[in-house]
Amino acid sequence: MDNRRLQVKQPKYMKIAADIASKIVDKKYVIGEKIYARSSLASQYGVSSETARRAIAVLQDLEIVEATKGSGVMIKSSEKAAQFVHQFLDVQSIQQIQMEMLESIKRQRDELAYLQETTEQLVSRTERFRSVNPFVPFQIEILESSPYISQTIGSINFWQNTMATIVGIRRESELILSPGPYATIEKNDIIYFIGNDESIDRVEKFLYPI
């Protein structure tokens, strides 16, 4: 099942039961008062008589109302009505949090997909135009074997040792442009740099000395 398409909804009869309980809490109905018969309840909420029956059954099971055949529904307990309303709202809050989390995950996936597409376009253009444009960057991945992980670009004298200039760092879902000498290089970073045709060899030998 695709959880991204999952929509969590409360049954109609639970919403009706919660609405009636809320009216009891708000003292719109008082203890001992008789309210709707099943047919009038169904008409008021625009649902089937079976849905109305289930709503009353929920309230009766929780001892909020007392339903007598032929006598309608009588209000029994405002305290238990309040407990039910709080529980119902708590469940709704949890469901809302779940939905917001799913939406957040979807947005993150969309952003990562866009970043991947953008990076692939950059790589494609890099390969296509490097021969005619010396300012199109090379790229290299920072592996665990590099001795310079978590060190700054300036402290390792990257330019002095490679004659190449770092113009960007891709780190997970971020693309850092013009990082400067105080930026660190971390494991799994993708380093974009410019230089001449010999730069890639110098950078590889520098980052991964034998």
Side-chain angles (χ1 to χ4, degrees), residues 126-137:
T126 297
E127 297 299 329
R128 191 180 310 159
F129 298 116
R130 180 173 290 129
S131 60
V132 295
N133 188 346
F135 296 104
V136 175

Side-chain angles (χ1 to χ4, degrees), residues 95-126:
Q95 291 174 345
Q96 181 63 29
I97 291 171
Q98 289 175 333
M99 292 301 297
E100 290 176 356
M101 288 176 64
L102 291 174
E103 286 297 322
S104 176
I105 290 170
K106 181 180 182 300
R107 286 195 300 270
Q108 291 178 29
R109 285 175 174 167
D110 291 342
E111 290 171 359
L112 286 173
Y114 175 75
L115 177 63
Q116 181 177 358
E117 180 182 354
T118 303
T119 303
E120 288 175 353
Q121 291 178 0
L122 174 62
V123 172
S124 176
R125 293 178 182 179
T126 297

Side-chain angles (χ1 to χ4, degrees), residues 64-81:
I64 297 170
V65 303
E66 182 176 339
T68 304
K69 188 174 182 180
S71 299
V73 179
M74 185 180 71
I75 306 303
K76 187 176 180 182
S77 173
S78 60
E79 290 81 5
K80 291 183 178 180

Side-chain angles (χ1 to χ4, degrees), residues 73-208:
V73 179
M74 185 180 71
I75 306 303
K76 187 176 180 182
S77 173
S78 60
E79 290 81 5
K80 291 183 178 180
Q83 291 175 5
F84 172 58
V85 170
H86 286 307
Q87 290 173 354
F88 183 82
L89 293 176
D90 285 344
V91 169
Q92 283 192 317
S93 298
I94 291 171
Q95 291 174 345
Q96 181 63 29
I97 291 171
Q98 289 175 333
M99 292 301 297
E100 290 176 356
M101 288 176 64
L102 291 174
E103 286 297 322
S104 176
I105 290 170
K106 181 180 182 300
R107 286 195 300 270
Q108 291 178 29
R109 285 175 174 167
D110 291 342
E111 290 171 359
L112 286 173
Y114 175 75
L115 177 63
Q116 181 177 358
E117 180 182 354
T118 303
T119 303
E120 288 175 353
Q121 291 178 0
L122 174 62
V123 172
S124 176
R125 293 178 182 179
T126 297
E127 297 299 329
R128 191 180 310 159
F129 298 116
R130 180 173 290 129
S131 60
V132 295
N133 188 346
F135 296 104
V136 175
F138 297 92
Q139 70 178 70
I140 189 169
E141 182 177 3
I142 302 300
L143 304 177
E144 190 174 7
S145 57
S146 176
Y148 303 114
I149 290 177
S150 297
Q151 297 188 41
T152 66
I153 295 171
S155 67
I156 63 176
N157 296 318
F158 185 87
W159 182 84
Q160 292 87 339
N161 285 292
T162 65
M163 300 300 291
T165 300
I166 295 177
V167 295
I169 299 175
R170 176 182 171 184
R171 180 169 299 155
E172 295 180 352
S173 61
E174 294 182 332
L175 184 60
I176 306 167
L177 297 177
S178 302
Y182 300 108
T184 60
I185 58 174
E186 305 293 345
K187 178 185 173 183
N188 298 327
D189 281 354
I190 303 295
I191 303 297
Y192 298 98
F193 59 94
I194 57 175
N196 56 33
D197 291 339
E198 298 176 355
S199 294
I200 185 65
D201 290 333
R202 288 197 297 266
V203 170
E204 286 181 348
K205 290 178 181 177
F206 175 68
L207 292 176
Y208 305 106

Side-chain angles (χ1 to χ4, degrees), residues 11-21 41 45 47 51-52 55-56 59 84 88:
K12 285 185 178 179
Y13 67 87
M14 288 293 292
K15 292 181 178 179
I16 294 171
D19 186 63
I20 294 173
L41 185 66
Y45 285 97
V47 296
T51 298
I56 295 300
L59 295 173
F84 172 58
F88 183 82

